[in-house]
Amino acid sequence: MAKLPKKAELTQYSLGTAPAPWRETKAELRPGMYCYGAKGKNLETVGMPNARDWSPAEEDWKLPEDWREIILAGMAERLEKYRSFRLFMDICVRCGACADKCHFYLGTGDPKNMPVLRAELLRSVYRRYFTKAGRLGKLAGARDLTLDVLKEWWYYFFQCTECRRCSVFCPYGIDQAEITIIGRELLNLVGLNTDWIAGPVANCYMKGNHVGLEPQTILSNIEFMLDDLETITGKRIEPTFNRKGAEILFITPSGDLFAEPGIYTCMGYFMLFEQLGLDYTISTYASEGGNFGFFTSNEMAKRLNAKMYAEAKRLGVKWILGGECGHMWRLVNQYMDTWNGPADFLETPVSPVTGTRFENARSAKMVHIAEFTADLMYHDKLKLDPARNDHLIVTFHDSCNTARGMGLLDEPRYVLKKVCNNFHEMAEDTIREKTLCCGSGSGLNAGENMELRLRAGFPRANAVREVKEKHGVNVLANICALDRASFPPIMDYWVPGTKVMGLHELVGNALVLDGEIERTLDLRTEELPRRDETAGEGGEAQ
């Protein structure tokens, strides 16, 4: 991990204009602000071009001799394939409405992190080679594709989490995430990926999950969780694995299977399913709902996503229930049926407990667990004791992909208010559709780029600090595995004393199981507050 600057250094910058024209300013690749280059073995595993070991810190990036021709041919192909790409290259009027909406610009002060200028890095090359004015005289901001420009692309397209906050404010609806996706696709044509993306992609291709967990490792990890749940509740929960004929296939991101604090969210899932007597199974082969392929190319994302439908078909389930994840759900909601469907061998999901038919999932055949649990609570199917969470004062982070990507805004709040007595919203312009990003998504959740992550996470941390100072908030809840992985160091740095929890960890704390022992521990095996200690302290949900 790169050495971190002090907080004062991270916040000493100006949001003014650049001292020199941006086209004349060469990108300075600073340690702490980028991820390591992809290892050759990981690129080779999935058949990516120009597989070799390389380092961004070295002058020679070991590119093929005809790299420029490869990039321009790739750009021409995508201009033909994606109408949105050509549209976004042509219609921007550089009004700047997006400029101060990007957490990377807010956290770094670097003008090239303004969405409008980050797009211009690519747009200027498009103008040079694909417009008449650019071909004739380099007019209208056109510039040549040089090695310095290529390195600049790599540096800044991996300083974008594809969160799409800027698109909310763009009067033309330009989607910077799509521009970043295209930029990264072009870079991948010459082997310019990061290993924090290429490694998980290779793992997912070979093992079915990002971290390369073998089936026996998945079983062992879950066994440890179930041991803790038996200590906490007095009940032994026995999920099934790879069982044919179950009604529901449950798929969650791999972060919930092995890492804190995600495992506590996973324990909450198991408690919920046990109480319901749900007929479900877990696949140790499609053991990943997330998809780092999306941070590589559309084709790679499609390729890795296919395992979910393949396993659902192999196991003969009726529908799929998915856990708390961000990009997993943007892909399910916006891409999955187009990429891998139609899933006509599955049924439109129907809750076996409430009878609710999830019409919003009739195409993808997959339901988000926050929707599923909210429906249970709406129909009063769960016994809850929210006082068990009275030592927690909670705020909620809308994960970018579930909020902007699928409009999942009210269901998690409905659940939170059922299981927590102390809930407070952050500032209006930092939540729901306008939510700020964790700053570590889209394959940036590494250790070597921690300065970048802390800078990009600062706007969200600042909003958390505001409600912490005003209301005493000590928990940041969310419904994204990547948030659960990326926020702890960001909160520890900017807002010390703030825990990060998944929604279903809080559900698990409050859920009263049939036949459970007297609960004295939460899902982290920490002491629950005593009734006489919390009496009168709780407040109404805000």
Side-chain angles (χ1 to χ4, degrees):
M1 182 183 296
K3 184 179 178 181
L4 294 178
K6 296 179 180 179
K7 290 182 182 179
E9 296 176 46
L10 287 182
T11 54
Q12 285 178 356
Y13 59 85
S14 169
L15 293 178
T17 57
W22 69 268
R23 294 183 190 85
E24 300 172 13
T25 306
K26 182 179 177 179
E28 177 191 357
L29 277 61
R30 294 196 297 108
M33 296 291 285
Y34 60 82
C35 296
Y36 298 142
K39 294 177 181 177
K41 65 177 183 178
N42 291 325
L43 295 177
E44 187 174 6
T45 295
V46 291
M48 297 295 288
N50 196 27
R52 83 281 182 222
D53 291 341
W54 68 286
S55 170
E58 296 177 358
E59 186 66 27
D60 182 6
W61 284 15
K62 303 178 182 178
L63 297 169
E65 290 186 5
D66 59 343
W67 66 264
R68 185 179 289 100
E69 289 73 18
I70 292 172
I71 294 287
L72 293 175
M75 186 178 287
E77 178 186 348
R78 284 154 182 78
L79 286 167
E80 180 69 23
K81 185 176 182 180
Y82 302 115
R83 288 182 297 172
S84 59
F85 180 36
R86 184 177 291 276
L87 183 69
F88 294 159
M89 290 295 96
D90 286 335
I91 66 172
C92 178
V93 296
R94 302 187 236 359
C95 68
C98 64
D100 62 344
K101 308 307 185 297
C102 177
H103 43 282
F104 284 99
Y105 176 58
L106 293 174
T108 65
D110 186 339
K112 291 182 182 178
N113 271 324
M114 295 179 183
V116 59
L117 189 43
R118 192 187 294 113
E120 202 70 16
L121 304 180
L122 187 60
R123 191 176 285 120
S124 58
V125 174
Y126 159 75
R127 291 199 192 98
R128 170 67 180 86
Y129 298 96
F130 298 96
T131 69
K132 183 179 290 186
R135 287 193 295 264
L136 291 176
K138 299 183 184 179
L139 302 175
R143 62 173 179 164
D144 291 330
L145 178 57
T146 65
L147 183 58
D148 285 341
V149 168
L150 188 71
K151 291 184 175 183
E152 183 181 58
W153 280 10
W154 184 86
Y155 190 55
Y156 287 103
F157 285 130
F158 288 99
Q159 290 188 37
C160 172
T161 49
E162 304 174 13
C163 81
R164 303 167 72 236
R165 186 172 195 257
C166 51
S167 66
V168 173
F169 298 91
C170 176
Y172 291 92
I174 296 172
D175 191 343
Q176 175 65 34
E178 286 205 26
I179 296 174
T180 292
I181 289 168
I182 296 295
R184 289 189 182 185
E185 284 197 13
L186 296 175
L187 291 166
N188 274 281
L189 294 175
V190 292
L192 294 180
N193 207 318
T194 72
D195 207 54
W196 194 255
I197 294 175
V201 165
N203 284 333
C204 204
Y205 178 67
M206 296 299 293
K207 306 294 184 182
N209 58 77
H210 291 153
V211 290
L213 297 176
E214 299 280 0
Q216 64 271 23
T217 307
I218 294 170
L219 294 175
S220 296
N221 288 357
I222 291 177
E223 191 75 16
F224 283 123
M225 296 184 217
L226 300 177
D227 288 343
D228 280 349
L229 281 176
E230 188 170 13
T231 299
I232 294 165
T233 69
K235 297 193 67 172
R236 186 67 192 179
I237 297 173
E238 299 287 354
T240 65
F241 299 89
N242 306 314
R243 176 169 61 91
K244 291 187 176 181
E247 180 179 3
I248 298 166
L249 172 62
F250 178 64
I251 300 178
T252 195
S254 58
D256 287 351
L257 299 176
F258 83 101
E260 294 185 7
I263 56 172
Y264 307 122
T265 300
C266 197
M267 290 163 69
Y269 303 149
F270 292 136
M271 291 178 66
L272 178 66
F273 301 159
E274 173 71 12
Q275 179 62 18
L276 298 174
L278 206 64
D279 180 17
Y280 75 103
T281 194
I282 301 167
S283 170
T284 56
Y285 303 101
S287 51
E288 177 68 73
N291 193 332
F292 272 45
F294 193 55
F295 312 144
T296 304
S297 70
N298 272 295
E299 288 304 314
M300 186 63 71
K302 174 182 177 180
R303 182 175 170 186
L304 298 184
N305 201 68
K307 65 184 180 298
M308 294 197 283
Y309 277 164
E311 271 298 270
K313 190 170 187 177
R314 184 181 76 87
L315 296 174
V317 301
K318 292 182 179 179
W319 55 280
I320 307 172
L321 179 63
E324 297 179 20
C325 185
H327 59 273
M328 163 184 175
W329 280 102
R330 183 182 171 201
L331 268 59
V332 169
N333 191 58
Q334 298 185 343
Y335 295 88
M336 185 157 152
D337 189 42
T338 303
W339 281 341
N340 308 120
D344 48 12
F345 55 91
L346 295 173
E347 300 177 6
T348 299
V350 176
S351 171
V353 183
T354 67
T356 296
R357 182 180 173 90
F358 293 95
E359 289 291 346
N360 61 312
R362 65 184 178 274
S363 181
K365 309 296 194 297
M366 192 165 176
V367 175
H368 194 292
I369 196 166
E371 298 176 285
F372 182 72
T373 303
D375 176 65
L376 292 168
M377 292 178 177
Y378 180 79
H379 288 92
D380 200 24
K381 296 297 184 180
L382 300 174
K383 185 176 180 180
L384 303 169
D385 182 3
R388 291 175 180 170
N389 286 319
D390 275 356
H391 58 306
L392 307 176
I393 306 173
V394 182
T395 192
F396 182 69
H397 165 73
D398 289 280
S399 302
C400 299
N401 286 312
T402 50
R404 280 188 287 270
M406 64 180 296
L408 196 64
L409 305 171
D410 296 318
E411 293 87 344
R413 287 174 168 81
Y414 182 84
V415 173
L416 271 176
K417 293 175 183 180
K418 290 287 187 179
V419 299
C420 297
N421 289 320
N422 301 292
F423 171 68
H424 300 276
E425 291 278 20
M426 286 179 275
E428 184 180 354
D429 61 347
T430 71
I431 60 172
R432 301 179 77 88
E433 295 93 338
K434 299 177 182 178
T435 187
L436 290 161
C437 182
C438 68
S440 300
S442 193
L444 302 188
N445 188 27
E448 65 268 20
N449 66 332
M450 187 57 77
E451 180 184 340
L452 175 68
R453 291 176 52 201
L454 291 174
R455 288 182 177 279
F458 175 69
R460 169 49 81 214
N462 203 37
V464 174
R465 183 171 56 192
E466 182 181 9
V467 288
K468 184 180 182 69
E469 292 174 351
K470 186 175 181 180
H471 301 291
V473 162
N474 56 19
V475 169
L476 179 62
N478 62 81
I479 52 172
C480 176
L482 201 144
D483 285 335
R484 291 191 286 282
S486 63
F487 269 134
I490 293 170
M491 292 298 107
D492 288 346
Y493 189 85
W494 292 115
V495 200
T498 306
K499 292 181 179 181
V500 178
M501 294 184 174
L503 177 66
H504 278 77
E505 177 181 352
L506 295 163
V507 171
N509 283 344
L511 184 61
V512 179
L513 298 178
D514 293 340
E516 68 176 20
I517 61 175
E518 182 181 356
R519 295 272 291 277
T520 61
L521 302 173
D522 65 13
L523 297 194
R524 303 190 180 202
T525 64
E526 297 173 354
E527 291 287 336
L528 284 170
R530 291 169 47 133
R531 297 289 175 172
D532 55 352
E533 290 176 349
T534 59
E537 291 183 5
E540 290 297 320
Q542 301 297 307

